[in-house]
Amino acid sequence: MGDEPGITRDRIHGTAEHDGRRFELIDTGGIVVADQEYIPAQILRQADVALQKASHIIFLVDGRAEITGSDRDLAQMLKRLGKPVSLAVNKVDTAAKQDLAHEFYGLEIADVFPVSAEHGIGVDALLDRVTAGFTRDAADAETGDTAPSAIKVAIIGRPNVGKSTLLNTLTGQERAIVSPVAGTTRDAVDETVLRDGVEYTFVDTAGIRRKGKTHLMAEKLSVVMARRNIRMAHVVLLVLDATEGVVGLDTTIAGYAHEGGRAVIVCVNKWDEVKGHGGEKKGEFEQKVRDSFKFLEYAPVMFVSAKSGAGMQKLFPLIREVYESASRRISTGELNRFVEQLHFEERKIYYITQHSIRPPAFAVFTGKGGPLHFSHERYLINQLRRRFGFKGTPILLQTRAKKAAKSAE
């Protein structure tokens, strides 16, 4: 992902396959055994969860560097776990450098593999060793080729608005590192949970900063990856900090979700920390949200506390509802009946067809070409919502002249 140290902090899960054997791969943050600082200690805590679950451990070291005291401490810690450990000496991409890998036998790990992750050199031999005890049948059973796809939910927002706490509360485990230090999450951390027979995969993205304030490569990469995860999601939870109100960057981030065509739920977090919060106060805050996010008029607003769990029980059914809205497909027959009852004076609408979902997109065949006026487009979208729902999702319209439809036929 990058050359800057410390980019990975949380546990990153992925599914891999080698020689017909499937397995889950967990990438941990860089471990420093004796460091008592908050973030390194939390990384070690997260890594320990992965180590306890692992069937095989790959200890990755830099083949161009000398063995350090930290390397020795970590090697001793891994050996005490009593699990198979393979030492991958990385960045060994030439025959001359392979001789340097022999020095790492000093870590007293028997299985040493010179590799170049960048060029794929030596990786097959490493994976042969790692998966030697994995059976193909067991791997297929664990991964489940026929498992239903999950509703993928991206959690986005500014740094330190409580996204990781929200993830941990939704999944019921401390999956992401949570700290009062802004910007703790740099990777996209995901977790799949089953609720009422439905799978939800939550992706906690890194806090998005303004481009001008992303000086470090890791932070710039976080912005790129966060936007990528928005595009890949089905539903986006836009997290706001109730104690700080709506700020300009919130609007920018909301725009990313809207432009990506994702279904959106606005989660006003830390609501329990707002003094005198109540029904009237909620109405005032929601109006501020509506005024700031005029383009997100379709997005429901939820008031929650990720820390205490207040309001969280309503989030799962709402996520499912907006996902189903974004996935809804209306038949041409139903749309024709809708057109017959539609009072639309801007131009003659002959018929409407839906050509895609997530977001729902419609082709509107009219008597003349060219886009509808903004106000008329908004009116038509509002009428579609009133008739068919589409809660929480943007709706896209394409205007086509009727003669174009005939020539296409």
Side-chain angles (χ1 to χ4, degrees), residues 17 28 33 105 150 158 175-176 193 214 252 264 266 276 314 316 318 327 329 334 343 373 392 400:
E17 181 178 341
T28 71
V33 176
Y105 279 101
R158 293 183 289 114
R175 178 64 169 74
V193 296
T214 54
T252 301
V264 181
V266 180
K314 298 178 181 179
F316 280 98
L318 183 57
S327 306
R329 191 178 290 276
E334 288 181 276
H343 301 289
H373 185 273
R400 300 179 184 175

Side-chain angles (χ1 to χ4, degrees), residues 8-144:
T8 301
R9 290 180 174 181
D10 299 292
R11 307 192 312 273
I12 310 303
H13 291 229
T15 301
E17 181 178 341
H18 177 70
D19 193 23
R21 298 177 175 90
R22 297 191 179 191
F23 55 96
E24 183 181 24
L25 189 66
I26 305 176
D27 177 24
T28 71
I31 302 172
V32 182
V33 176
D35 197 327
Q36 299 302 313
E37 291 292 327
Y38 184 85
I39 294 298
Q42 288 290 87
I43 290 174
L44 178 58
R45 182 183 175 191
Q46 290 288 321
D48 186 59
V49 175
L51 294 172
Q52 296 301 326
K53 293 171 60 178
S55 301
H56 197 109
I57 300 168
I58 300 175
F59 178 18
L60 185 67
V61 295
D62 187 342
R64 297 178 302 184
E66 295 181 353
I67 297 176
T68 66
S70 294
D71 291 332
R72 297 185 189 279
D73 291 342
L74 183 53
Q76 292 300 315
M77 186 192 84
L78 295 178
K79 286 189 291 184
R80 285 196 296 269
L81 294 174
K83 296 189 175 188
V85 179
S86 293
L87 180 64
V89 184
N90 194 23
K91 304 178 184 178
V92 179
D93 49 12
T94 66
K97 291 181 179 178
Q98 285 189 7
D99 293 335
L100 299 177
H102 295 297
E103 297 181 10
F104 287 88
Y105 279 101
L107 292 175
E108 299 179 356
I109 294 175
D111 296 322
V112 178
F113 295 88
V115 301
S116 171
E118 184 176 0
H119 300 101
I121 299 171
V123 174
D124 283 346
L126 172 63
L127 290 177
D128 285 343
R129 172 68 184 94
V130 170
T131 62
F134 301 169
T135 62
R136 289 182 178 85
D137 291 340
D140 289 340
E142 287 178 8
T143 54

Side-chain angles (χ1 to χ4, degrees), residues 80-360:
R80 285 196 296 269
L81 294 174
K83 296 189 175 188
V85 179
S86 293
L87 180 64
V89 184
N90 194 23
K91 304 178 184 178
V92 179
D93 49 12
T94 66
K97 291 181 179 178
Q98 285 189 7
D99 293 335
L100 299 177
H102 295 297
E103 297 181 10
F104 287 88
Y105 279 101
L107 292 175
E108 299 179 356
I109 294 175
D111 296 322
V112 178
F113 295 88
V115 301
S116 171
E118 184 176 0
H119 300 101
I121 299 171
V123 174
D124 283 346
L126 172 63
L127 290 177
D128 285 343
R129 172 68 184 94
V130 170
T131 62
F134 301 169
T135 62
R136 289 182 178 85
D137 291 340
D140 289 340
E142 287 178 8
T143 54
D145 289 334
T146 59
S149 57
I151 300 174
K152 194 164 187 178
V153 185
I155 304 173
I156 68 171
R158 293 183 289 114
N160 216 30
V161 294
K163 298 184 299 300
S164 295
T165 306
L166 188 71
L167 172 73
N168 291 340
T169 303
L170 286 167
T171 60
Q173 59 179 305
E174 291 196 19
R175 178 64 169 74
I177 294 174
V178 180
S179 88
V181 181
T184 302
T185 300
R186 287 183 173 177
D187 306 290
V189 181
D190 66 276
E191 183 69 37
T192 299
V193 296
L194 187 66
R195 183 74 174 256
D196 297 328
V198 180
E199 282 190 0
Y200 301 82
T201 298
F202 293 97
V203 182
D204 174 22
T205 64
I208 302 174
R209 294 168 168 80
R210 292 192 185 277
K211 289 183 179 179
K213 295 186 178 180
T214 54
H215 302 295
L216 295 176
M217 191 277 284
E219 293 178 349
K220 291 180 180 179
L221 184 62
S222 295
V223 174
V224 172
M225 293 302 294
R227 296 196 67 173
R228 176 178 178 271
N229 280 287
I230 290 170
R231 292 194 300 270
M232 294 178 65
H234 299 130
V235 178
V236 171
L237 302 184
L238 171 60
V239 185
L240 308 180
D241 187 333
T243 63
E244 297 181 1
V246 182
V247 302
L249 184 54
D250 291 327
T251 305
T252 301
I253 297 169
Y256 294 157
H258 176 69
E259 290 164 8
R262 305 304 90 185
V264 181
I265 299 171
V266 180
C267 295
V268 182
N269 191 29
K270 308 180 186 179
W271 184 245
D272 55 337
E273 298 179 27
V274 177
K275 291 184 178 180
H277 59 276
E280 185 177 349
K281 197 83 172 181
K282 281 185 179 179
E284 294 174 4
F285 197 101
E286 181 171 350
Q287 189 57 51
K288 291 179 182 177
V289 171
R290 298 299 181 196
D291 292 341
S292 300
F293 306 157
K294 292 186 183 300
F295 49 87
L296 284 183
E297 79 283 350
Y298 54 83
V301 179
M302 293 285 293
F303 291 84
V304 302
S305 171
K307 191 173 182 179
S308 70
M312 299 292 288
Q313 70 278 4
K314 298 178 181 179
L315 209 45
F316 280 98
L318 183 57
I319 291 170
R320 183 172 181 176
E321 182 181 4
V322 300
Y323 169 78
E324 290 174 348
S325 288
S327 306
R328 184 169 298 139
R329 191 178 290 276
I330 310 301
S331 70
T332 301
E334 288 181 276
L335 289 169
N336 284 339
R337 289 189 288 274
F338 165 73
V339 169
E340 290 174 0
Q341 300 173 13
L342 185 66
H343 301 289
F344 195 77
E345 299 178 357
E346 197 267 348
R347 70 180 76 170
K348 173 71 173 176
I349 295 179
Y350 291 97
Y351 59 95
I352 300 175
T353 61
Q354 184 178 359
H355 56 80
S356 63
I357 58 173
R358 295 197 293 270

